[in-house]
Amino acid sequence: GLLGCMAGKLKASFIEEEKLVDIVVGPDAYRSLPGLVEEAGTGQKAVNVLLSRDETYADISPIRLNSNGVTAFVSIMRGCNNMCSFCVVPFTRGRERSRSAISIVQECEALFNEGYREVTLLGQNVDSYHYISTGENGEVAETISFAKLMEKVALISPLLRVRFSTSHPKDITDDVIYTIAKYENICNYIHLPVQSGSSRVLQLMNRTYSREWYLSKVKRIREIIPECGLSTDMITGFCTETEEDHQQSLSLMDECKYDLAYLYFYSERPGTLAARRFEDDVPLETKKRRLQELLDLYRQHSLISMEKEVGKTHLVLVEGNSKKDDNDLQGRADNNKVVVFPKENYKKGDYVKVLITHCTAGTLLGKAQALHY
């Protein structure tokens, strides 16, 4: 069987052409899985790839396989309404719908009681989270925005760290930024994907903001949260991208100086608006060369960003042993940077104050100062 958000796209190939599977189930049809298994047992091909307008998995308690027992992801919404021209998500996960705030807070409370100390609130565009709770007679009791939801989760306990991903530049509000600044246990880190530094390319991507709009958001974040960690996504070689467009991406990266960046060259996704409307006309060698130029610049910024942390003390949530040495522990600072320090008597799940003594381009290295509660 094949289950997941790409099942609908691949069902004809997997069932009819290559005959690889008996069952194909889309992301919103998991409740019908027992019946589909029974149907497949009769020799029939069983398929349900219908997308729902209201399925949010709100009443599902996930089993977290291979979890470190300290950090957990909590889904707060499903789908997406943005229709970026390069993206297949709206076609594979459906329209945007927000999960009930009560179920989210209850899941986070349960995780905290089980020993988890950090939750990451997940959504394709968390800033557009919007849930209306109703009273017994159907009247509106409370309208909950993403800022309010974050606050509710942060108030579970000061020992529960809160992160989130992903923000859309057009939707992130001052309320969200001020809420992050208000609560010490909401991490000072925002993932703000830009995709391109060229307003012309952004328009083709249907991102609905300009270069200038994006830079104003970055400026606003840094005004309210000066030490906020910032990361992004960027694509090179999108349809019709010129050298001038590429230089604008480089200059935007130079202006923002991201702490972390996820960089890719454009790869056409069948069924997307870009695949239907535009020719994938930038040669692969050009895409890869432009990607390498972005990577080289990002690595310069990353090292500078790391070097600025040397001499500072950070509160680190220990996630487990270092990948390179079992005598060291590894965790993340508030700004999402990875910190490694000698184990001594500290353990997974502890909050430890760590003095940063040196660094690499991707890791902060330090010495524990004290256990923090």
Side-chain angles (χ1 to χ4, degrees):
L2 175 71
L3 185 147
C5 61
M6 288 300 293
K9 293 286 182 185
L10 299 174
K11 69 178 187 297
S13 170
F14 276 32
I15 281 190
E16 297 162 15
E17 298 168 20
E18 300 179 44
K19 297 180 171 55
L20 294 174
V21 297
D22 305 300
I23 305 168
V24 177
V25 188
D28 295 342
Y30 66 95
R31 296 178 194 271
S32 66
L33 189 55
L36 294 171
V37 171
E38 186 176 346
E39 183 180 344
T42 67
Q44 300 293 316
K45 299 297 183 183
V47 179
N48 185 348
V49 294
L50 294 175
L51 293 174
S52 168
R53 287 187 175 273
D54 50 26
E55 176 62 70
T56 62
Y57 299 176
D59 56 347
I60 299 299
S61 298
I63 296 172
R64 289 173 163 82
L65 302 175
N66 300 319
S67 169
N68 61 13
V70 177
T71 63
F73 294 103
V74 176
S75 176
I76 67 169
M77 59 197 305
R78 291 186 55 73
C80 185
N81 291 346
N82 286 318
M83 302 302 290
C84 299
S85 63
F86 56 80
C87 185
V88 75
V89 167
F91 305 103
T92 57
R93 297 185 188 174
R95 305 299 282 175
E96 199 171 85
R97 58 267 193 203
S98 296
R99 178 181 167 187
S100 90
I102 292 174
S103 72
I104 295 167
V105 173
Q106 286 175 342
E107 183 175 341
C108 293
E109 285 176 337
L111 287 166
F112 180 75
N113 292 333
E114 290 169 19
Y116 287 84
R117 290 298 175 261
E118 180 179 289
V119 292
T120 300
L121 306 179
L122 286 182
Q124 196 68 24
N125 178 15
V126 292
D127 300 294
S128 61
Y129 177 90
H130 182 81
Y131 186 79
I132 300 174
S133 63
T134 56
E136 293 182 0
N137 299 320
E139 75 280 5
V140 174
E142 186 180 14
T143 300
I144 303 169
S145 64
F146 180 57
K148 285 186 178 180
L149 177 68
M150 269 202 305
E151 183 173 54
K152 287 176 181 291
V153 176
L155 289 172
I156 291 171
S157 170
L159 291 177
L160 180 65
R161 266 188 175 176
V162 183
R163 298 186 187 273
F164 60 90
S165 189
T166 297
S167 283
H168 195 293
K170 74 176 177 63
D171 292 322
I172 190 168
T173 64
D174 277 9
D175 281 349
V176 168
I177 304 169
Y178 278 118
T179 301
I180 297 169
K182 180 179 178 180
Y183 292 93
E184 288 189 8
N185 59 329
I186 301 181
C187 294
N188 291 338
Y189 172 74
I190 296 175
H191 183 60
L192 198 68
V194 64
Q195 307 302 355
S196 174
S198 163
S199 292
R200 186 188 73 84
V201 174
L202 288 170
Q203 185 174 13
L204 293 176
M205 290 177 166
N206 198 32
R207 291 293 286 174
T208 68
Y209 56 82
S210 66
R211 171 194 177 94
E212 291 72 26
W213 173 276
Y214 181 89
L215 289 173
S216 71
K217 286 292 183 181
V218 171
K219 181 181 178 182
R220 189 64 172 151
I221 289 168
R222 287 177 169 159
E223 284 175 353
I224 299 171
I225 316 171
E227 298 299 317
C228 189
L230 190 67
S231 62
T232 197
D233 297 342
M234 199 175 287
I235 298 169
T236 66
F238 187 71
C239 311
T240 78
E241 184 188 66
T242 64
E243 281 301 319
E244 182 182 353
D245 294 322
H246 173 58
Q247 289 302 318
Q248 289 184 48
S249 290
L250 288 168
S251 69
L252 183 139
M253 180 170 279
D254 209 27
E255 188 164 344
C256 293
K257 292 182 172 58
Y258 297 104
D259 299 287
L260 188 62
Y262 301 91
L263 309 172
Y264 315 88
F265 62 79
Y266 176 63
S267 177
E268 186 177 84
R269 296 291 186 264
T272 59
L273 297 176
R276 297 201 298 267
R277 294 178 181 176
F278 310 129
E279 180 184 353
D280 183 8
D281 58 353
V282 179
L284 182 60
E285 318 84 72
T286 303
K287 291 178 181 179
K288 289 184 175 180
R289 189 257 302 165
R290 291 175 182 171
L291 174 60
Q292 190 60 53
E293 291 176 3
L294 282 181
L295 281 166
D296 291 343
L297 183 59
Y298 157 64
R299 285 171 180 151
Q300 293 176 33
H301 295 158
S302 177
L303 180 58
I304 293 169
S305 174
M306 289 294 189
E307 288 173 341
K308 287 180 179 178
E309 304 296 346
V310 175
K312 295 180 181 179
T313 298
H314 282 285
L315 186 60
V316 176
L317 174 59
V318 180
E319 297 177 10
N321 288 345
S322 165
K323 295 176 182 177
K324 294 184 178 180
D325 190 339
D326 284 345
N327 293 313
D328 292 335
L329 292 174
Q330 176 177 307
R332 282 182 296 164
D334 175 84
N335 59 13
N336 204 42
K337 291 175 180 174
V338 174
V339 180
V340 173
F341 61 96
K343 182 179 289 185
E344 300 180 35
N345 295 319
Y346 303 105
K347 63 184 185 303
K348 184 170 70 172
D350 283 344
Y351 283 102
V352 183
K353 291 182 178 178
V354 179
L355 173 65
I356 308 304
T357 56
H358 52 298
C359 70
T360 68
T363 306
L364 299 176
L365 305 164
K367 173 72 174 174
Q369 300 295 290
L371 190 65
H372 177 81
Y373 290 100

